[in-house]
Each structure stands twice: as C-alpha cells, then as structure tokens.
C-alpha cells in the first residue's frame, strides 16, 4: 500500500521537485526534455494557474501526475486530461500509480469534472490494462469504435 | 473554393448560431445533446474566455470548429485540441473543412501554439485521410506506435 508515499497536490513550492521527476521520466523513455531548469520555470507559472494540476506521491516525491483541466461545450463541468504519470523505477508495483489515479478521480469529482481522459500507446498493454482496471474505456457502449490520437507539431 | 463561406472567429454574439450547428452535429450522428438553449448559454461563457476558440464559415454559418487551448509543460507555447469540426451536409465536398483547418493552423501559429491535436475514430477512414493530408500524424517519426484515446465519464 502507498501509505508510505501519501499523495498530495503540488504547489508552486514543489516546482523544482516536479521538474526533476518529469526530466527523469522523459530521459528514461528517450523522449526530448528541455531540462530541469526550463521545466521548473514553466511549472512555477503553471502551478500558480488554474488549468494545470500536479499530483505528487511521497516526500521527497517518488511519483508525479500532470493533469490539465479545460472547458467543454458538451458538459456542464470540465474535462480533465491526464498528461503524464510517472513512478520512479525502483518503486513500481507498490500501488503508487493506482493511488495517483484515485487522487485524480477524487480531484475531478471535487472540481465538477465530467470527463477524465488519457491517451495510451496502443502497444503498451500494461498501461491499457491499468487504466481499464480503473474504469477507463476506449470504446463507447455498444460500439467497438476507438479513437486514435493525431497531432501536428508546429515549428516555431 | 470556400470564398463564398469565408472563415472567421466567433464572438459571444455568435453563441446562438454556434449552438444550432453543434446541436445539428450531434443530432446527425445520434450523439446526445443538451439542446440549443443550454449550448448557447455555455457558449456565451466559453466565447468570453481564453481557453475556447470557435471558428465559423459563412454568414449565416454553414460550418463550425471548436478548439480548446491549454498549457503543457513540454512546450513553451500551448497545445490546441480540435474538439469538433462540422460542415452542414449539403455543403460537404466544397473545401470548407479544409479552410477551417487552415484557419486553425494559422490561429495556432498566431497564438504560439506548439502542438495541434485531434482524436479521430479509427474506422473513419475519410476523416483520417483528411487530417493526414493536412500534416497530422498518429505515429512518431521512426515508430508505428499509435496512441488510443481512453476516457472515463464521472456521473454527477
């Protein structure tokens, strides 16, 4: 059980710690990262605003979840997207990810969010099972139709 | 060419017109809709804010796109998600959808957006081709890995 690593919402004061975890995340998965200092500067802005929520587990933190909340015309409440979920490698399998998702859903209900979303790599069977266990689905009731995530990067 | 239906950004004054198009959209595709009055009331709030942008084509409008913009820790600019794109049935095949996407990309560059996203039904081959023609991709360079959209509806 993750009682040793209680979940909490990050504040601006946690920006450096969040930045380190996110930098470790992308480094582990060979994804580009702008580095800890750039991330920490952005996080100080984002954590002071309403649209971004960061969940941490433990102190010092051993897991991070980044969530963005946005409005949607089809529901009275908002939509929350789980942008990132990372647990340090040595502590995986301890239920920390599950505790983070539980906190996300609790937070979503508290904020009157109607829909929680996440994009999961098709081949990442473990992650897909993990989210399905928590009630997420990729198809609508009575349909086998899934939606595929498409993106376009704009060069600045 | 869509010169007969010039694209423009909706303002609060367009809320009723946008609501009618979105209601027609969901009615055509047998999706639930809260009705024109509820949508119009929400749109008056959303169109006054920063996070939601609505693109219209023509006057009276014959097409609508709803876009939400949110921050992201990995990029300096924001991320724009194309939530909805609808062209009235009688005018499809006239390049209006393409003009709306061009306006979306122009708007995104203007707003320093780094990434534009859309979730497309896997079986909707026409829509997937349409977005791929406009430069969208579902896989990262050198990979065949796609991401699947998962969601969880919270009952209020």
């Amino acid at each position: 059980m993750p009682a040793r690593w209680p979940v909490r919402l990050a504040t601006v004061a946690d920006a450096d710690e969040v930045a380190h975890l996110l930098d470790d995340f992308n480094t582990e998965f060979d994804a580009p990262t702008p580095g800890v200092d750039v991330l920490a500067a952005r996080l100080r802005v984002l954590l002071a605003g309403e649209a971004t929520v960061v969940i941490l587990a433990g102190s010092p933190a051993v897991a991070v979840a980044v969530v963005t909340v946005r409005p949607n015309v089809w529901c009275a409440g908002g939509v929350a997207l789980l942008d990132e979920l990372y647990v340090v490698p040595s502590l995986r399998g301890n239920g920390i990810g599950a505790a983070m998702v539980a906190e996300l859903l609790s937070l979503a209900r508290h904020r009157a969010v109607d829909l929680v979303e996440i994009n999961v790599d098709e081949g990442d069977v473990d992650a897909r099972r993990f989210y399905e266990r928590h009630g997420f689905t990729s198809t609508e009731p009575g349909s086998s139709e899934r939606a595929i995530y498409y993106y376009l990067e704009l060069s600045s």
Side-chain angles (χ1 to χ4, degrees), chain A:
Chain A
M1 281 303 294
R4 285 175 57 197
W5 305 282
V7 294
R8 60 191 165 97
L9 295 189
T11 68
V12 173
D14 297 305
D16 287 329
E17 205 165 5
V18 174
H20 274 282
L21 283 168
L22 290 176
D23 190 65
D24 289 348
F25 186 6
N26 273 19
T27 301
E28 177 180 343
F29 291 97
D30 291 324
T33 166
V36 169
D37 291 348
V38 169
L39 290 172
R42 282 181 195 159
L43 284 159
R44 276 189 281 275
V45 176
L46 296 178
L47 287 167
E50 291 284 304
T52 307
V53 180
V54 174
I55 303 168
L56 292 171
S59 191
V62 297
V64 64
V66 180
V67 183
T68 46
V69 181
R70 64 182 197 278
N72 182 283
V73 72
W74 299 113
C75 34
V79 175
L81 173 70
L82 177 57
D83 288 288
E84 317 289 341
L85 176 59
Y86 178 68
V87 179
V88 298
S90 61
L91 290 176
R92 287 172 200 163
N94 287 290
I96 297 173
M100 308 280 280
V101 170
E103 177 66 18
L104 163 62
L105 298 184
S106 164
L107 171 91
R109 289 178 202 280
H110 191 72
R111 277 207 175 197
V113 160
D114 291 319
L115 188 71
V116 183
E117 306 175 323
I118 178 162
N119 296 304
V120 187
D121 283 344
E122 186 170 26
D124 193 345
V125 176
D126 289 345
R128 290 175 57 185
R129 274 204 207 109
F130 173 82
Y131 290 109
E132 286 165 9
R133 270 203 310 275
H134 285 88
F136 288 80
T137 176
S138 59
T139 56
E140 303 205 18
S143 162
S144 61
E145 183 84 305
R146 310 184 300 179
I148 308 293
Y149 169 81
Y150 275 79
Y151 69 96
L152 171 59
E153 282 181 44
L154 299 176
S155 51
S156 45

